Amino acid sequence: MQKPQSLFFNYLLRAATLLLVVLGSCSPDNQPATESAQAPTAVQQSAPAAPAPSAEGLFVSPSHWINTDPIGDGEPAVSAELLTAVNTNPQQWLQYGGDFRNFRHSPIEQLSPENVDNLQFAWGFPTGTMGQFAVSPVVYDGIMYITSSYNRLFALDARNGDLFWRYDHEQPADLRICCGPANRGVAIVGDKVLMATLDAHLLAFDRKSGEILWDTEIIEYNRGFSATSAPLIVKNMAIIGIAGGEFGVRGFFDAYDVDTGERVWRHYTVPAAGEPGAETWSGDSYQTGGAPAWTIGAYDPELDTLYWTTGNPSPDWNGDSRLGDNLYSDSVLAIEPDTGEMKWYFQFTPHDVWDYDGNTHLFLVDLAVEDETVKALVQANRNGFFYAINRETGEFIRATNYLEQLNWATSMEPSGRPIVNPEATPTEEPTMRVCPGVMGGMNGAVSGALNPDLGLVYIPVIESCQLLQKGIGVHVEGLQYTGGTPIPADALDASAYGHITAIDYQTGEVRWRFMDPEPMMAGTLSTAGGLVFTGSQTGHAIAIDGATGEELWRFKLGGGIRSQPIAYQIDDESYVAIGTGNFAGIASFVGANVEIPEGGHLYVFKLSN
C-alpha cells in the first residue's frame, strides 16, 4: 500500500501541474498602477486595408474587418422597452438570460420531443481561437453576434453563417486571468453591441458596420483585474463586473452610459474602513478581500432592482488572516440601479475557505409560500445548495441540497447560515474529500434554464470532490493570492461525473437527473415545446425531455462543450446554436475528459420540415 506521504506528493505534483496550465498566462508586471476613472476613447477608423503578404507567401488577415454593405432585415434599434419585455418573440435572443427573468427559455414550441429527430446540421463557423468557447450568442434583425476566447467578436448571418464583420481585440502579453481566456457574450442596445475584455475594457460597436464607437478602460488589468461576462443593459446603462478574486483585488461592478461610455457609478463588493461590513474582516484584510463580480446579474423592472452576485474572498483557501464573515463576498446584492446603492444582501457562504463563490445563475420567479405569492430569486449555488430568497426583502426562504455528494456542511440554520462540518475546512495535510469541490456543483461559468410551464429549473452539475490544502498567502499586487490549493482527488482516480438535474423551483425538490460519465460544464436551454438542450465534455450536443429527463437526441460535434445554447426562428424555420471549445486546464482539474480536440467552433442546427 502506498504511504500517505507519497500520495500527498503525487497529489501536489499533479495539482501544481494543473495550476500551471490554468494560470500560465498570468505573468507579473513590475510596475504598479493606480486606479483611474478613465474617460472613454473615441476611435477613428478607415476602411480595412488589403491583406498583407507574409514572408511565406501567405496572407495575414487584418484584425478588424468593417462592413460597408446593407445587412439585417430592417428591424429598428433595440429599445429599452424591447429589452424589458418577456421573451416571447422567437426571432430574437436579446440577452444572455433570454430576458430579465434569466429563464433561458425559448418560446419556440416546434422544438419538442415529437420532432427533435428532425433537427439537422445547418451550418458551422470556426472561431480560430483556443481556450473555452463559452459564448451565449445574441440574435437580432437576422444577425447573430458571438464572442470567442481572447475577445474575438463576429457578426454573422443567422441564416447561413456568412461573416458580416469581425473584431480581434489586441491583448497585452501579461494578462491576469485565473481560469482561461473566456468571454461569455455581448449585450445589444440601440444600434450598439457591447463587449467586455480580458484586459478590463468595455467596448461599444456599431451593430451593422462593426466600427468601434467608444472604448472605456474599466480599471488597469495589471493590478489583477479582468472582465469575462456579458454586460447587462438596464435602462441606458451597461452593468459589468470584474474578475480577480485569485489576485486579492477589491471587487466591484460598474454602470456605464451606453451612449458615451462614461461611468455612472461603481459599487464595491468589499467595504472600506468604517463602512458597514468592514467589521467582518479582521485587521486590514478587507484591503485585499476579493469578492469579484465576474458573472452577469438580473433585473426586475417592476421592483426597479438590480441583482448581482459576488465571488470568493481572498486568499481563497486560508482564512486565518481574514477572520469573520467577510462581507460582501459569496453574496447576492440587491441594488438601486440609478445610484448603485445597496438595498439588501444575502450571504450564501460566510467566511468561505472552499472557493465556492456566490456567482451562479439567478432566476427571478414567483413562489407560493404559506398561501402567499412571494417575489423570489432562486439559485443553484456552487456550494451545493439550491436557495430561494425573497427578492423584495432579502429574507431567506429555504435551501435544499441538489447534489449527490455534499459534506462540507451538515445543515442550515433558520436564517440560511450553513452549519459547517469542521473536518471539511482546509488543512496543511488534508485527508478528507470535500464535496463539492471548488468548481461546484453548478459553476458560474455556465448557465441554467427554467421552464415556467413545467415548473422546473435545469442545472448542469459537476460531481467532483477535492482535498483542500491550506498554504501561505502573501499579497503582491498583480500576482496570485490563493493561500493554498485544491488537490483534484477525483481527477486522479477518474471518479468524477456529472448530471443535468431538474429541480422543482417551488419546493426545491429534485425531480429527475440525466446522468453523464463526465462533469457537466456546458449551459442549458429550455424550450416551450418541452426540450432541454445541453452539451457534454466528450463533444456531444444533447436534447433531453424536459418533463422526464429522457435523452431524445444526440449529435457528435467533436470538441468539449462549454458554451450556452440558444434557439431562434427566421422565416418560420427553427434553429439551435451551440458552440464547442474546451479548456483542458480546467477540464482536467475536475476530472473531465481532455483527450478531445480543442478550438472554438459554432454549430447551428435547423428543424427540417
Side-chain angles (χ1 to χ4, degrees):
M1 179 176 176
Q2 193 172 12
K3 293 182 179 180
Q5 291 92 340
S6 299
L7 284 173
F8 280 125
F9 177 78
N10 291 336
Y11 286 149
L12 288 173
L13 183 62
R14 178 66 181 271
T17 301
L18 292 172
L19 285 174
L20 284 173
V21 172
V22 174
L23 305 175
S25 59
C26 304
S27 58
D29 186 312
N30 294 324
Q31 299 299 320
T34 56
E35 180 180 351
S36 66
Q38 179 173 324
T41 303
V43 180
Q44 301 295 326
Q45 297 170 302
S46 58
S54 72
E56 293 81 16
L58 301 175
F59 286 92
V60 179
S61 301
S63 63
H64 193 179
W65 300 347
I66 295 175
N67 173 60
T68 58
D69 297 326
I71 60 172
D73 295 335
E75 296 292 337
V78 177
S79 64
E81 291 75 20
L82 191 59
L83 290 172
T84 302
V86 171
N87 181 25
T88 59
N89 186 344
Q91 298 180 70
Q92 303 166 173
W93 191 274
L94 294 178
Q95 299 195 42
Y96 180 89
D99 56 33
F100 281 137
R101 302 172 304 170
N102 255 7
F103 285 4
R104 293 195 64 85
H105 180 69
S106 168
I108 300 176
E109 297 179 356
Q110 292 90 330
L111 290 169
S112 69
E114 290 73 28
N115 61 11
V116 69
D117 285 340
N118 295 329
L119 201 59
Q120 298 180 357
F121 174 74
W123 56 268
F125 188 86
T127 67
T129 62
M130 302 295 284
Q132 64 265 52
F133 185 30
V135 69
S136 178
V138 162
V139 176
Y140 181 70
D141 195 23
I143 305 169
M144 176 185 290
Y145 302 93
I146 62 170
T147 57
S148 76
S149 53
Y150 296 106
N151 299 123
R152 186 170 283 183
L153 171 58
F154 305 92
L156 308 175
D157 189 322
R159 293 174 174 85
N160 56 30
D162 285 350
L163 178 66
F164 291 138
W165 57 264
R166 164 180 156 179
Y167 170 75
D168 299 351
H169 189 65
E170 185 175 353
Q171 304 285 1
D174 59 343
L175 286 171
R176 275 28 175 213
I177 51 178
C178 89
C179 310
N183 186 277
R184 297 179 182 90
V186 302
I188 188 169
V189 59
D191 283 319
K192 303 179 186 68
V193 170
L194 279 66
M195 177 182 70
T197 68
L198 293 171
D199 60 345
H201 282 239
L202 184 63
L203 284 76
F205 302 82
D206 183 280
R207 72 177 180 92
K208 291 189 176 182
S209 71
E211 294 182 79
I212 298 178
L213 302 176
W214 50 259
D215 178 350
T216 297
E217 182 182 57
I218 299 171
I219 195 169
E220 298 93 334
Y221 75 91
N222 58 8
R223 298 172 60 190
F225 293 95
S226 58
T228 60
S229 69
L232 180 69
I233 304 301
V234 175
K235 301 179 180 180
N236 202 48
M237 297 175 292
I239 318 296
I240 188 70
I242 54 85
E246 280 63 56
F247 292 83
V249 303
R250 185 187 183 195
F252 64 85
F253 51 98
D254 288 347
Y256 292 90
D257 186 298
V258 298
D259 293 322
T260 66
E262 295 179 352
R263 194 171 83 201
V264 179
W265 51 255
R266 170 164 291 175
H267 186 97
Y268 284 103
T269 58
V270 178
E275 294 180 348
E279 72 281 0
T280 67
W281 298 82
S282 61
D284 61 357
S285 59
Y286 62 88
Q287 295 181 3
T288 55
W294 58 274
T295 56
I296 195 168
Y299 174 64
D300 185 335
E302 182 181 352
L303 298 178
D304 193 24
T305 302
L306 172 70
Y307 304 94
W308 216 267
T309 53
T310 65
N312 62 280
S314 299
D316 301 50
W317 297 289
N318 187 338
D320 293 351
S321 64
R322 52 173 175 85
L323 300 178
D325 283 355
N326 305 142
L327 293 174
Y328 298 92
S329 66
D330 289 61
S331 300
V332 57
L333 312 180
I335 301 295
E336 163 58 54
D338 292 326
T339 63
E341 296 180 357
M342 185 168 65
K343 296 182 176 182
W344 56 258
Y345 74 92
F346 179 84
Q347 189 175 40
F348 301 105
T349 310
H351 190 68
D352 179 12
V353 290
W354 304 271
D355 192 22
Y356 282 149
D357 286 11
N359 298 104
T360 45
H361 194 122
L362 296 174
F363 303 95
L364 306 188
V365 299
D366 290 339
L367 293 183
V369 180
E370 297 180 351
D371 299 324
E372 292 186 5
T373 299
V374 174
K375 295 182 182 300
L377 60 83
V378 295
Q379 185 209 52
N381 195 274
R382 195 153 123 190
N383 68 15
F385 288 98
F386 183 76
Y387 288 84
I389 309 294
N390 185 316
R391 71 175 186 266
E392 292 187 272
T393 66
E395 180 183 1
F396 173 74
I397 299 173
R398 67 165 178 271
T400 55
N401 174 18
Y402 68 91
L403 295 180
E404 292 194 323
Q405 304 175 89
L406 191 154
N407 62 15
W408 75 276
T410 58
S411 58
M412 283 279 171
E413 295 180 1
S415 64
R417 187 183 185 92
I419 298 175
V420 173
N421 177 358
E423 296 180 358
T425 56
T427 63
E428 293 180 358
E429 296 184 356
T431 58
M432 179 178 174
R433 289 175 65 254
V434 178
C435 307
V438 301
M439 296 289 290
M442 180 182 175
N443 193 276
V446 298
S447 59
L450 184 151
N451 187 319
D453 300 318
L454 296 176
L456 297 178
V457 171
Y458 305 106
I459 302 301
V461 174
I462 298 167
E463 295 271 5
S464 179
C465 305
Q466 293 172 327
L467 305 177
L468 300 181
Q469 185 170 55
K470 182 179 178 180
I472 298 173
V474 177
H475 182 259
V476 177
E477 187 175 68
L479 299 183
Q480 289 280 315
Y481 180 52
T482 59
T485 185
I487 300 171
D490 286 10
L492 297 178
D493 65 11
S495 61
Y497 64 98
H499 45 85
I500 301 296
T501 291
I503 302 173
D504 184 330
Y505 66 81
Q506 289 291 341
T507 65
E509 297 176 355
V510 173
R511 288 281 190 85
W512 54 254
R513 299 190 199 275
F514 170 80
M515 307 302 296
D516 193 272
E518 301 285 339
M520 299 300 288
M521 302 176 72
T524 56
L525 167 74
S526 170
T527 74
L531 292 175
V532 178
F533 286 94
T534 190
S536 74
Q537 277 294 297
T538 51
H540 292 90
I542 302 168
I544 305 166
D545 188 309
T548 67
E550 177 187 1
E551 181 181 314
L552 302 174
W553 176 86
R554 179 179 287 256
F555 196 99
K556 177 68 173 177
L557 302 180
I561 299 176
R562 297 288 299 277
S563 67
Q564 330 304 320
I566 69 159
Y568 60 96
Q569 277 185 346
I570 296 181
D571 303 327
D572 294 324
E573 293 187 301
S574 299
Y575 297 82
V576 175
I578 185 168
T580 68
N582 198 28
F583 179 52
I586 293 294
S588 62
F589 194 58
V590 300
N593 190 328
V594 296
E595 297 177 353
I596 49 179
E598 295 199 42
H601 202 107
L602 182 72
Y603 292 85
V604 177
F605 298 87
K606 184 168 68 172
L607 200 62
S608 63
N609 296 324

